[in-house]
Amino acid sequence: QVQLVESGGGSVQAGGSLRLSCTYTDSSYCMAWFRQAPGKEREGVAVIYRADGRTNYADSVKGRFTISQDSAKNTLHLQMNSLQPEDTAMYYCAGDNWAFTCASGLTPGGSKGFRRWGQGTQVTVSS
């Protein structure tokens, strides 16, 4: 059974940094980070095409967040810098095997295309 396990969440003050990690047991073509704040829809943060390393980011995190992969360790990372209170959310790692899933992952409702999910890790940013 495919498993995705996130770690690295926590509480930081505004302007701080966190690095999330996601270990996986499969070889999804596309992997991504999503987040969901209380009362809000799940939104795409960043996606990566594992074959060639292409990445895309939500406008709200461009220049602050970096998605990367360590294929040798089957680990996905999300480096988050200059964190702001509006970044507070549960962060989820997700994977799927279709290029279209990556292409649409950051659009509204894009999470629906991903079939593999981790349990989430909480990120809280205080002002």
Side-chain angles (χ1 to χ4, degrees):
Q1 183 177 355
V2 172
Q3 286 189 321
L4 303 174
V5 181
E6 301 97 334
S7 61
S11 297
V12 296
Q13 290 191 325
S17 299
L18 283 173
R19 189 189 195 206
L20 305 184
S21 297
C22 170
T23 57
Y24 50 84
T25 60
D26 76 329
S27 56
S28 295
Y29 177 82
C30 170
M31 296 200 73
W33 287 98
F34 287 83
R35 66 186 181 186
Q36 188 166 17
K40 293 189 176 182
E41 295 291 321
R42 189 169 295 189
E43 64 172 349
V45 174
V47 299
I48 186 167
Y49 296 79
R50 293 191 57 240
D52 58 13
R54 284 179 292 150
T55 58
N56 282 315
Y57 297 91
D59 288 342
S60 58
V61 306
K62 278 181 182 176
R64 300 189 298 124
F65 290 12
T66 303
I67 188 172
S68 63
Q69 60 178 340
D70 184 341
S71 298
K73 296 182 179 180
N74 279 12
T75 303
L76 183 74
H77 296 291
L78 184 68
Q79 177 66 44
M80 305 185 295
N81 299 327
S82 301
L83 284 162
Q84 300 300 317
E86 52 266 34
D87 295 317
T88 295
M90 185 72 80
Y91 283 71
Y92 297 91
C93 171
D96 201 74
N97 285 338
W98 296 98
F100 177 78
T101 305
C102 255
S104 61
L106 300 182
T107 61
S111 64
K112 295 179 174 60
F114 285 82
R115 287 171 286 180
R116 306 182 186 102
W117 291 89
Q119 82 289 349
T121 186
Q122 178 67 37
V123 171
T124 303
V125 185
S126 58
S127 58

